Amino acid sequence: MKNIKTLLIVALYILFAGGTQAEEYNILDFGAKPDGRTVNTKSIQLAIDKLNEAGGGKLIVPKGSFLTGSIELKSNINLYLEDGAVLLGSVDMNDYRKLTGHQSLILASNQNNISITGEGTIDGQGRRLVLNIDSLFHVGKMDMAEYDQTHPDESTRPTIIQVCNCKNVVIRQITVRNAACWVQQYTGCENLTIDRITVSSITFHNNDGMDIADCRNVSITGCTINSADDGICLKGSWNDQVLIEDCRIHSNANAIKFGSGAGATNVTIKNIYIYDTYRSALALESVYGHKIENILVDGLFVTNTWNVFFLRLGNKQPNEKGEVGTLKNITIRNVKADVPLNRPDMNYEVRFPGRSCPLGANIAPAIIIGIPGHDIEDVVFENVAITYPGGGDEATGFIPTWRLKDVPENEKVYPEYDLQGELPAWGFYVRHAKNISFKNVAVAAKKRDYRPALVFDDIAGIKMDNVYINEDDKGPQIILRNVIGKDLKVQPELIKTVK
């Protein structure tokens, strides 16, 4: 009996996640016009409501351009975009509304068994929308307190998809493009599948490809993301049981980021190709007292990205219990990466401002930084190969190994890899960490860098086995300061201990 009940639940989930539905409606039958000019919000919402009353099913958006404002998706409905169908976001701010937190083109809150599938496109027309919002500020129709120096701030710009507190959510195969703010937000959801979608949004500031917050059982597979901010970002205080696999990401910020305030446990990241990314390929950041634990990264292929790894435990603000967060039990393996000399996003329409560190520092290494008394723990690097440009210049930024104590902690600063300023290593810089393992790790510099390859400062337990360093420098390449518990299977002449 228990197995039969389980099969029935699975069958119902498949039914409403893009399979065969009991009812099938077409938005044309409710008065929607595919001319790209008529605002179809009422027609589309009427179709959704009627389909919901009928018990659910498939709502078809046929070929054509359908202009709309905010629409609210309801339980047991598959919004299906046929090939050639385009949902166009209105460029009139008055056509948008919010259910929780943020205005959005497609909204869902406290619904079950919802999906958006098909081969069509959702286009937020973000830049035109933002320019119209911008005009409202300057004619006095919006509060200038919500204006961020040069543009409307995040709270005033609609997202494209916002799904909150929903169960059994499927987003499959569609294209989502041109957001005014974040492209997609999923908050408080359970059983979320995002499969083979294309995100193309280099339209404006804060164009995160997808933001996941406080969600459980999440699968992100086969996606292609080109975003003018973080590509895939975990946010909120916790996320659990997350799979990110077989994705291709370009980002004008970080490709995969566990946001500065994020908590995340039991996450697997597999077979990800990252290219032309301005900041970090992988950024794991806990500075608001949350847990980032049990993370497996297996297969990361990074091309033309300024920083490969940024693991940061900070204390910008403790959690509600006054505790610092954790960053531990992390395995990163099977990685090939190259770091360029010049900024990777030069050929893209939307770029971040230049490096934000105070000295215009030399190329940054892979970074693992905790805080005094709170270590990053149990990190394994295995089968990792990174090529750097080298050529570090003392005149650009100079932190010699005898000044390791002068590297700022910056534990209360918003975390980005370049906010630490100049770092004293070109390959890996590890500080305030416990139980760090390097196995089959190779770093190479194309030109001589005045800095050593690897620096370890305040470390309790470090293992090295088959570590290869290729640079035109015969001096020490592995610098140790305040390190206990060493098991280093490397040539002794490569190692130097400093005070």
Side-chain angles (χ1 to χ4, degrees), residues 76 283 330 332 354 392 453 459:
N76 304 323
I330 299 164
I332 299 173
I459 309 297

Side-chain angles (χ1 to χ4, degrees), residues 44 92 153-154 185 197 209 265 275 278 289 359 411:
I44 298 173
D92 184 346
D153 72 16
E154 299 167 3
Q185 287 182 294
I197 74 167
T265 53
Y275 68 100
Y278 174 74
L359 297 176
E411 63 187 72

